[in-house]
Amino acid sequence: MRGGAANPVRLRYTKLGKVRWISHRDVARALERAFRIAQLPLAFSEGFSPRPRVSFGLALSTGHESDAEYVDLVLAEPVDLDALPSRLDAGLPEGIAIVGAVALADRAPALQEAVTCVEWRVDVAHGDLTEVDPARLREQVDAALAEPVLEATRHRKGRDVIEDVRPVIRRITVCDEPSAAGLPTVVEMEMSTQPRGAKPGEVLAAIGDFTDVRALRTYQWIERDGARQEPLDADTRPRVPEACAS
Amino acid sequence: MSDLWPRIEPLLARVEKPARYIGMEMGTEPGSLAPRHGSSRAAFLLIYPDTYEIGLPNQGLQILYELLNEREDAVAERAYAPWTDMEAAMRAARVPLFSVDTHRAAADFDVLAFNLSAELVYTNLLNLVDLAGVPVRNADRSPSHPVVIAGGHCTYNPEPLAEYVDAFAIGDGEEVIGEIADVVGAWKRGGRASREAVLRELATIPGVYVPSLYDVEYEGPVVRSVTPRYADVPAIVDKRTVADLAEWPYPKRQLVPLVEVVHDRLNVEIFRGCTRGCRFCQAGMITRPVRERPEEQVRTMVREGLRRTGYDEVALTSLSSADFSGIEGVVADLVTDQEGTGGVSVSLPSLRVDAFTVGIASELQKVRRSGLTFAPEAGTWRLRQVINKLIIEDDLYSAVDAAYSQGWRRVKLYFLTGLPTEMDEDTLGIAQLATNVTDIGRKYTKQASCTVSVGGFVPKPHTPFQWFGQNGVDELQRKITLLRNAVRGTRAQVKWHDPKATFAEGIASRGDRRIGRVIERVWRAGGTFQEWSEGFSLDLWLDAMRAEGLDPDWFVTRHRTRDEVLPWAHIAAGLHADFLWGDWQAALAEHGLPDCRWTPCYDCGVCTDYALEHVVASPVTPAGGSQGTGQDLTRSAVDVPVRFLGSKVRS
């Protein structure tokens, strides 16, 4: 560690609106630029080519939105965490906003391993983008989930592979009828991420002639000992002024 | 003036890299440069006719974008060529070309303004005009259609696009763009009545060429004359030149894209123009004289740019960055500034070939020391005198020795092939240089490697080589094969540009108005993205030439004579025809010509005719010497017609 004490911090951020079309890698670059614009005192890795100590959570696919993305970083000195969201805001594109910042315990497990479950809110249409009848969708979901195996076509490394996604699915709830004509049918999906997850669209296509018109990640969960917590509530330190150990 | 976004967004899930189409670059958010439309504002759509990743970083386009959006009577947005998948989706859904800023239809703008940096994008220009819903030929447009204008280096020979572009802006754009905005704004506020009227008005602006106002006569296959049809239309259109870069510290707010693009870094232009006099180099010829930015302004632009953008890399751009008078000071400051921070990496594109330059590079790249590139351009001293790239072999070897000894492992050497007077011993000389370079490298590391990158030479208008008959496809291929065989078994690797693409570029580079229909045929046959190997097809070009009854060799491989009226003779870069012809003869006689920044003027014509002068910070030659030019540098500085920064008096 260069520059004395380590101050691990976890941020929660959004990816909403037009900016959903940028890739996970683009989001990472935008955040890293925002950190530099805010002159955040990032700690750097040691070695020949020092890198800022920033580690991102689960990737969010291009085109998906989220209320609940997370990134961990290590600061070389403590900063005012309450002021951090507004401090970073100027350097971020519209739709990406820091909505929470907490001090993290030393040696907290990495987000990618710690998060075991995510929830989605998905606008569903048929493959040709026509409207879906919620009652029919509900029937097909129930039928699919009653089977032990649900085969989905997944695009991996440039080719299509068939995989069983049934173990990934925790819950699919078809919400009530759309309240007005033209509004989409909405489902909530709760899915495992370990050992591997699946995209909402892949699961919907496996159930029937359905596709996700819009997918919003609403929660990420860390599950331990039968309890679950959101990442800003897990592995964190109490919000007291930092003692500067040098 | 509707926002097309609701119709664009459903297409994005099905295309590669959808973020190309969303805009949202930092610098365009509300309150900054965000375009503001209004009935009294002349609306410009600035278009780079290649992909977003290639076009977004273009500094010329960004400068114009800022200048227009700073005005109260104009507004600018940007557009790029949608990739083929997106274009197909757009055409199927009847979505026209749109701006990335506010997703407004291109036809809703008053002006479609194209940047032309490479000839092979010409078919993309036609495609984008068509995708905008505007007739591709200028004769078919009505007052309801936007005015199509173009600028950039290719416009020094505007003739191939004379039937497609309404007006060309020749030279530096900083000043002329405002004058164009004045004319277009008045036309708009007057109800956009007559198209002819606005074009006549544009033609009165110095530097603006309106091809429809000229008649071209031919004598056999050769142009006899290009004559203006009206008395107030200039017979010769002179380029525009910004006299002092210090007055134009742009872009002030370089756009930061969300997607990765080429040159994805802060770019600060440290000088414009170059008088090294490399005879193959169109950029060096047409951008004279040298105009340096004050050192202090460079520092400010770097410091503020890095702070504002969050970039961790900055490039100090120019045609030969180590020649900048203040280079040592600027580099020293950058190195000091970055100590203790995460580190900003600095790049100097267009490195000179000498050990001094390597010293600077080593200061700048303390960590990421991967590869270093030099451009000797030709394999023997004889041929380098012909092209006036006066690098002696010892300069190259000491540069390479310095590079390998300071930790670089890969050296890349750029060469041209197909140069005037080139013989097989010149081609074999490339192999010999490369072998010697790897031998030097192996003194320091077993992993030393050398990549030789060979481009086919295309003679360009307004250069001493404009009369030279380009090598044909077979001849270029033969030379490349010769070189590949010669380096077989050595540690040097050869990469080369497709000679077929070089040939097509030759058709467009020195073509006259008749080549326009060839470009149109290539486009109609589906030939977009011709500068991309996946899109390029020489057969499309040859078929189109045949259909138009034109002989490709007449345009490409034929030597021109002194008395021939060149198709671009009515466009002036300030270089006297006598100077260019004399320099061409000197080339054939293997005589080099020194850099006029440090020797008395040899009257190329630019400074004298345009009342310009070099603007440099220092009367002495650049640190590190004259790059082996062998020129006498002991002369007193008072002989040299330069203006020193800050003094504002002619020496």
Side-chain angles (χ1 to χ4, degrees):
Chain A
M1 184 82 37
R2 277 193 343 189
N7 299 269
V9 170
R10 177 166 289 167
L11 304 180
R12 174 171 174 160
Y13 63 94
T14 63
K15 185 189 184 192
L16 297 168
K18 272 184 192 175
V19 80
R20 71 189 173 108
W21 295 107
I22 73 174
S23 68
H24 185 64
R25 190 177 145 74
D26 294 333
V27 172
R29 287 166 0 101
L31 282 166
E32 287 180 5
R33 275 196 307 268
F35 298 155
R36 284 194 295 268
I37 290 167
Q39 300 183 328
L40 217 55
L42 288 173
F44 279 78
S45 64
E46 293 184 33
F48 188 61
S49 183
R51 293 280 308 147
R53 295 181 58 194
V54 177
S55 40
F56 287 87
L58 291 177
L60 182 67
S61 296
T62 304
H64 288 167
E65 293 178 282
S66 179
D67 274 334
E69 295 304 291
Y70 298 91
V71 57
D72 290 349
L73 39 136
V74 180
L75 300 177
E77 53 193 71
V79 301
D80 178 356
L81 293 178
D82 291 330
L84 199 51
S86 59
R87 184 174 166 187
L88 289 171
D89 194 49
L92 288 169
E94 192 183 337
I96 297 181
I98 309 292
V99 290
V102 295
L104 204 58
D106 287 326
R107 281 182 282 282
L111 281 163
Q112 300 215 14
E113 281 85 56
V115 170
T116 48
C117 172
V118 294
E119 287 185 53
W120 295 91
R121 183 176 171 87
V122 183
D123 293 357
V124 183
H126 288 297
D128 60 2
L129 302 184
T130 53
E131 279 174 43
V132 164
D133 170 23
R136 256 200 68 132
L137 175 60
R138 198 171 284 124
E139 276 170 31
Q140 279 184 264
V141 166
D142 290 345
L145 297 191
E147 298 293 325
V149 169
L150 181 60
E151 289 194 327
T153 306
R154 309 199 59 194
H155 200 64
R156 272 187 192 284
K157 291 178 182 155
R159 56 198 188 93
D160 288 337
V161 294
I162 307 284
E163 260 175 39
D164 178 18
V165 292
R166 183 61 191 86
V168 174
I169 305 168
R170 305 268 189 102
R171 170 177 71 89
I172 299 179
T173 307
V174 180
C175 299
D176 293 337
E177 305 280 324
S179 55
L183 287 183
T185 297
V186 174
V187 300
E188 289 173 4
M189 305 175 77
E190 189 177 327
M191 300 200 283
S192 295
T193 63
Q194 309 278 6
R196 66 171 44 152
K199 294 182 192 176
E202 292 166 346
V203 171
L204 288 169
I207 291 170
D209 174 28
F210 302 115
T211 189
D212 58 327
V213 178
R214 217 157 181 132
L216 172 73
R217 184 136 77 187
T218 48
Y219 294 97
Q220 297 194 34
W221 297 108
I222 293 174
E223 298 165 298
R224 277 185 209 136
D225 310 323
R228 68 183 197 176
Q229 287 179 305
E230 289 194 82
L232 287 194
D233 299 325
D235 302 318
T236 55
R237 284 191 285 192
R239 301 286 296 270
V240 292
E242 301 284 327
C244 248
S246 57
Chain B
M1 298 262 179
S2 61
D3 179 357
L4 292 173
W5 179 252
R7 290 171 59 202
I8 294 164
E9 189 163 35
L11 311 179
L12 295 185
R14 289 177 273 147
V15 300
E16 263 178 53
K17 301 188 191 171
R20 286 166 165 172
Y21 310 106
I22 67 170
M24 298 188 73
E25 301 85 358
M26 185 196 291
T28 62
E29 56 278 355
S32 60
L33 265 184
R36 290 160 299 165
H37 289 265
S39 58
S40 62
R41 287 175 184 267
F44 286 72
L45 183 61
L46 307 177
I47 307 172
Y48 195 95
D50 203 331
T51 60
Y52 180 86
E53 297 93 304
I54 306 284
L56 182 283
N58 184 272
Q59 295 295 288
L61 197 139
Q62 291 202 21
I63 290 169
L64 301 184
Y65 180 75
E66 268 188 40
L67 289 173
L68 287 166
N69 282 327
E70 282 177 355
R71 290 174 66 110
E72 291 302 317
D73 61 352
V75 58
E77 300 202 29
R78 295 161 296 118
Y80 307 88
W83 189 243
T84 49
D85 58 350
M86 182 62 171
E87 186 200 336
M90 286 163 65
R91 288 195 187 270
R94 300 187 174 282
V95 172
L97 180 69
F98 55 83
S99 67
V100 297
D101 300 79
T102 68
H103 298 96
R104 190 174 289 244
D108 289 346
F109 288 80
D110 302 305
V111 176
L112 305 183
F114 287 88
N115 174 305
L116 296 176
S117 309
E119 292 84 358
L120 289 180
V121 303
Y122 288 173
T123 58
N124 278 15
L125 179 144
L126 268 59
N127 193 44
L128 295 171
V129 170
D130 180 66
L131 199 53
V134 174
V136 292
R137 292 188 195 166
N138 51 28
D140 297 335
R141 293 177 199 143
S142 74
S144 68
H145 295 122
V147 174
V148 177
I149 68 177
H153 286 185
C154 292
T155 61
Y156 280 84
N157 177 18
E159 293 305 278
L161 292 175
E163 274 194 272
Y164 304 89
V165 170
D166 293 308
F168 294 90
I170 316 293
D172 293 339
E174 282 92 342
E175 291 165 347
V176 78
I177 192 69
E179 296 157 33
I180 293 172
D182 287 342
V183 169
V184 172
W187 179 56
K188 179 179 197 165
R189 289 185 290 274
R192 274 176 45 165
S194 152
R195 202 173 174 83
E196 170 86 4
V198 70
L199 294 180
R200 286 287 296 277
E201 196 61 36
L202 284 171
T204 64
I205 300 173
V208 174
Y209 170 60
V210 178
S212 61
L213 303 180
Y214 295 76
D215 289 319
V216 181
E217 283 185 61
Y218 297 90
E219 192 169 321
V222 183
V223 174
R224 180 197 290 160
S225 62
V226 180
T227 323
R229 270 195 245 134
Y230 305 96
D232 60 342
V233 175
I236 302 280
V237 177
D238 283 296
K239 71 165 179 180
R240 294 296 291 269
T241 306
V242 170
D244 190 351
L245 221 50
E247 289 170 20
W248 302 96
Y250 290 88
K252 289 176 180 167
R253 289 155 296 189
Q254 184 183 312
L255 299 178
V256 182
L258 294 171
V259 256
E260 235 170 319
V261 298
V262 301
H263 312 313
D264 202 359
R265 61 196 179 200
L266 181 69
N267 293 295
V268 174
E269 186 184 24
I270 56 177
F271 67 90
R272 199 173 292 178
C274 178
T275 42
R276 290 241 165 224
C278 304
R279 293 176 173 129
F280 55 86
C281 178
Q282 188 191 35
M285 291 289 161
I286 62 179
T287 61
R288 295 172 173 213
V290 170
R291 290 145 291 153
E292 288 191 355
R293 194 180 290 292
E295 205 177 314
E296 200 42 50
Q297 193 177 56
V298 170
R299 283 198 182 84
T300 308
M301 287 174 76
V302 169
R303 199 174 298 130
E304 288 181 359
L306 288 172
R307 191 179 307 144
R308 196 190 59 78
T309 61
Y311 271 127
D312 59 357
E313 184 181 352
V314 56
L316 304 177
T317 66
S318 74
L319 292 172
S320 181
S321 293
D323 285 350
F324 182 62
S325 302
I327 194 70
E328 285 181 298
V330 169
V331 164
D333 282 6
L334 276 167
V335 171
T336 318
D337 276 3
Q338 59 181 302
E339 272 165 18
T341 69
V344 170
S345 88
V346 185
S347 53
L348 294 175
S350 311
L351 278 185
R352 223 169 56 200
V353 185
D354 56 39
F356 168 77
T357 303
V358 176
I360 289 188
S362 118
E363 282 279 288
L364 292 176
Q365 299 186 348
K366 289 222 159 73
V367 283
R368 289 175 232 169
R369 207 166 275 193
S370 50
L372 213 50
T373 302
F374 299 106
E377 308 289 3
T380 60
W381 171 244
R382 186 198 68 79
L383 190 55
R384 288 194 295 276
Q385 284 178 297
V386 170
I387 64 175
N388 208 40
K389 181 94 186 193
L390 300 171
I391 298 159
I392 54 176
E393 253 164 73
D394 285 346
D395 278 335
L396 175 65
Y397 296 147
S398 64
V400 166
D401 194 284
Y404 284 122
S405 71
Q406 289 170 52
W408 275 280
R409 289 173 177 183
R410 282 190 292 116
V411 164
K412 198 169 175 185
L413 302 177
Y414 275 163
F415 292 94
L416 287 167
T417 187
L419 291 164
T421 79
E422 186 174 78
M423 295 180 286
D424 285 355
E425 69 181 62
D426 300 305
T427 305
L428 296 172
I430 296 175
Q432 189 59 54
L433 278 183
T435 309
N436 294 347
V437 163
T438 48
D439 285 349
I440 292 169
R442 298 204 66 186
K443 289 195 299 183
Y444 299 100
T445 166
K446 279 194 172 143
Q447 292 150 316
S449 74
C450 171
T451 304
V452 169
S453 183
V454 186
F457 173 59
V458 179
K460 292 289 161 93
H462 305 279
T463 68
F465 290 168
Q466 63 183 349
W467 290 278
F468 172 66
Q470 183 176 326
N471 281 188
V473 174
D474 293 346
E475 177 65 358
L476 285 180
Q477 193 58 62
R478 188 189 68 78
K479 287 174 177 173
I480 289 164
T481 306
L482 182 69
L483 175 61
R484 289 179 64 203
N485 289 337
V487 299
R488 190 154 293 152
T490 73
R491 297 181 66 88
Q493 267 192 323
V494 180
K495 290 183 179 165
W496 64 94
H497 191 67
D498 180 5
K500 291 179 176 169
T502 304
F503 194 87
E505 189 184 328
I507 293 174
S509 289
R510 290 188 295 169
D512 54 36
R513 288 195 179 192
R514 294 168 299 176
I515 293 299
R517 294 300 172 98
V518 173
I519 293 163
E520 185 179 333
R521 282 181 187 274
V522 172
W523 163 62
R524 289 198 187 280
T528 56
F529 289 104
Q530 292 297 285
E531 73 289 19
W532 291 72
S533 54
E534 53 265 65
F536 177 73
S537 158
L538 182 59
D539 287 342
L540 289 180
W541 291 83
L542 297 180
D543 289 349
M545 291 291 281
R546 202 171 301 123
E548 290 295 322
L550 300 173
D551 174 13
D553 281 316
W554 190 86
F555 282 88
V556 179
T557 62
R558 181 181 60 96
H559 294 292
R560 274 68 161 169
T561 55
R562 187 179 192 177
D563 57 352
E564 181 169 332
V565 176
L566 298 170
W568 51 90
H570 55 299
I571 305 297
L575 301 152
H576 290 160
D578 286 349
F579 164 74
L580 288 176
W581 181 262
D583 206 31
W584 171 224
Q585 297 309 302
L588 295 174
E590 301 170 12
H591 286 313
L593 186 68
D595 189 319
C596 64
R597 261 171 294 186
W598 312 298
T599 50
C601 175
Y602 45 74
D603 198 18
C604 71
V606 177
C607 294
T608 44
D609 284 13
Y610 295 155
L612 293 166
E613 43 203 351
H614 295 304
V615 180
V616 297
S618 161
V620 296
T621 52
S626 67
Q627 194 193 323
T629 55
Q631 60 192 90
D632 178 7
L633 298 171
T634 57
R635 285 170 195 279
S636 139
V638 294
D639 285 340
V640 185
V642 297
R643 171 153 73 72
F644 301 123
L645 281 165
S647 68
K648 292 267 181 191
V649 284
R650 196 166 185 151
S651 55

